[in-house]
Amino acid sequence: MIPQHDFLALSRRHEWQLDPFSFSLADGALAQVWDTGVICIEPADGQRAAPGKEIVLSCGIHGNETAPIELCNQLLGKLLGGELSARHRVLFLFGNPAAMNLGVREVEENMNRLFSGAHSKGEGLCNRERIRAMRLEQYVSRFYSDSGAERLHYDLHTAIRGSRHEKFAVYPFPHERPYSQEQIRFLGACGVRTILLSNGPTTTFSYYSAHQHGAHGFTVELGKVRPFGENDMTRFIEARQALQELVCEERVRLEPWRPEDFNIFTIDRVINKRTADFRFLFASDVDNFTEFPQGFVLAEDGELRHVVEQEREAVVFPNANVAIGQRTMLLVVPTRLWDA
């Protein structure tokens, strides 16, 4: 039903809409295409692990972040082709095929600022990316059942710039829920050993699933943006193996918790753009997690100056080319979660 088992290619040919269809796989699993870039795999009863997991793997929310797109399409292709069998329900989401076709981060608007209802605020559903974000929310809501299965969502990205810690994950603000040591250990198995603890609600996709559906959700940064076909996939071996094991085995084998294996940061401040005159006072190619000395002036925004306030305060996601009112950077500091 899907030529060469390449769902990504099919989705890119139908970048905004694809009529639903379903078909059976060789192992008895059911594959259901809900829309372009949206496909659900339901294991056959004899294959399904108990207790099971409900896993959302999303990628391509930004169209030029190609490594996770290729990673997910490879895993999905092996499931569709019969090389692997899913033991858990899994939903693959390729977020923005139109932006992928253009080789850009977004067509009109940053989709990862449009979840938790943000798509319908302000000007409302005024462009296709806003409509797409609303539909992705609906597909996640449709996917998670009332079975009591553990809900997971890994939203896979690559960053615009390099990083002092190549792979890292943003842990959405948990409200009253405790942090999950098991989930951080799983991220470690993916080769992600730097964790950034969010300090409040956001409009990201992973926060939507975590807050709205009680999922263990993460925004996972796997490296730097590169065009399709130019990714060194050997850099993602750990992530590929861990995700494959997550989907295809009853449980993932994890290393015991060792605090020294992880770098944990917490967000100290979020700097938003107030004027069209916003500008950074550091090099445009500075890496994520770069530290500056206390008192250093990081940016000017009209008459406002943003200064390093704490020792070991580091910059993450600096981007001056955002709309007024959107985030230009995070300022983060080291912290600890558990000592043993």
Side-chain angles (χ1 to χ4, degrees):
M1 294 293 293
I2 297 177
Q4 288 79 51
H5 313 300
D6 191 344
F7 184 60
L8 174 61
L10 178 64
S11 295
R12 293 180 68 182
R13 288 197 297 272
H14 302 269
E15 56 184 27
W16 290 115
Q17 192 268 331
L18 180 63
D19 290 337
F21 62 94
S22 61
F23 55 98
S24 294
L25 302 182
D27 61 2
L30 178 65
Q32 303 173 66
V33 173
W34 293 353
D35 196 347
T36 189
V38 183
I39 184 169
C40 174
I41 307 294
E42 296 268 2
D45 288 341
Q47 292 282 346
R48 191 179 306 225
K53 297 179 174 66
E54 294 179 338
I55 304 162
V56 175
L57 296 179
S58 60
C59 60
I61 297 299
H62 298 133
N64 62 346
E65 297 178 3
T66 60
I69 298 169
E70 294 176 344
L71 189 68
C72 286
N73 198 49
Q74 289 172 5
L75 175 56
L76 175 59
K78 290 181 179 181
L79 293 169
L80 296 177
E83 295 179 56
L84 298 172
S85 293
R87 297 293 307 279
H88 307 271
R89 295 180 69 237
V90 58
L91 180 68
F92 288 89
L93 299 174
F94 298 85
N96 199 337
M100 295 176 204
N101 287 340
L102 293 172
V104 296
R105 182 176 173 84
E106 62 212 45
V107 178
E108 295 184 65
E109 194 168 358
N110 182 353
M111 194 183 293
N112 212 27
R113 299 292 178 271
L114 295 176
F115 294 99
S116 294
H119 47 71
S120 297
K121 296 178 180 177
E123 298 178 3
L125 299 170
C126 60
N127 61 52
R128 283 180 154 181
E129 274 153 321
R130 287 185 169 229
I131 294 169
R132 179 69 169 171
M134 178 185 69
R135 288 179 176 165
L136 292 178
E137 287 183 353
Q138 293 169 348
Y139 295 135
V140 169
S141 297
R142 173 180 170 183
F143 175 71
Y144 287 135
S145 70
D146 295 324
S147 67
E150 184 179 39
R151 297 174 175 179
L152 306 171
H153 182 186
Y154 304 102
D155 185 33
L156 307 179
H157 291 255
T158 50
I160 295 172
R161 62 186 63 238
S163 178
R164 300 288 174 91
H165 306 288
E166 182 187 45
K167 298 177 178 67
F168 61 97
V170 180
Y171 202 136
F173 185 61
H175 294 273
E176 302 302 319
R177 297 174 67 196
Y179 291 107
S180 170
Q181 191 178 99
E182 180 180 14
Q183 284 298 304
I184 293 179
R185 288 162 60 212
F186 174 73
L187 292 170
C190 291
V192 179
R193 298 180 180 87
T194 297
I195 311 298
L196 181 52
L197 307 178
S198 188
N199 65 346
T202 65
T203 52
T204 63
F205 200 9
S206 63
Y207 175 79
Y208 167 78
S209 296
H211 184 55
Q212 202 67 30
H213 296 287
H216 292 295
F218 299 88
T219 302
V220 184
E221 302 284 351
L222 291 176
K224 190 175 180 180
V225 166
R226 301 194 187 282
F228 280 113
E230 295 187 15
N231 294 295
D232 178 3
M233 299 308 287
T234 63
R235 305 186 74 84
F236 310 103
I237 290 173
E238 289 175 294
R240 182 179 62 205
Q241 182 59 39
L243 292 171
Q244 178 176 309
E245 198 169 327
L246 176 72
V247 171
C248 300
E249 303 293 338
E250 186 168 346
R251 62 179 59 87
V252 181
R253 296 160 293 179
L254 299 175
E255 295 293 328
W257 172 254
R258 291 187 295 265
E260 63 272 17
D261 289 348
F262 293 90
N263 303 296
I264 310 291
F265 293 85
T266 188
I267 295 174
D268 180 50
R269 290 183 286 157
V270 179
I271 306 300
N272 294 323
K273 185 174 186 175
R274 295 188 178 185
T275 74
D277 296 326
F278 182 95
R279 68 188 185 104
F280 290 126
L281 299 182
F282 51 79
S284 60
D285 60 351
V286 71
D287 288 343
N288 284 319
F289 295 99
T290 295
E291 297 179 12
F292 293 92
Q294 215 166 355
F296 182 86
V297 181
L298 294 164
E300 293 178 343
D301 194 357
E303 296 181 358
L304 181 65
R305 305 173 90 210
H306 296 289
V307 177
V308 175
E309 295 179 352
Q310 297 191 51
E311 291 185 10
R312 300 208 59 196
E313 196 168 45
V315 171
V316 179
F317 297 138
N319 183 6
N321 299 317
V322 299
I324 291 174
Q326 289 195 359
R327 184 190 75 199
T328 63
M329 62 178 160
L330 300 176
L331 296 173
V332 307
V333 291
T335 190
R336 300 178 74 88
L337 279 178
W338 310 280
D339 292 326

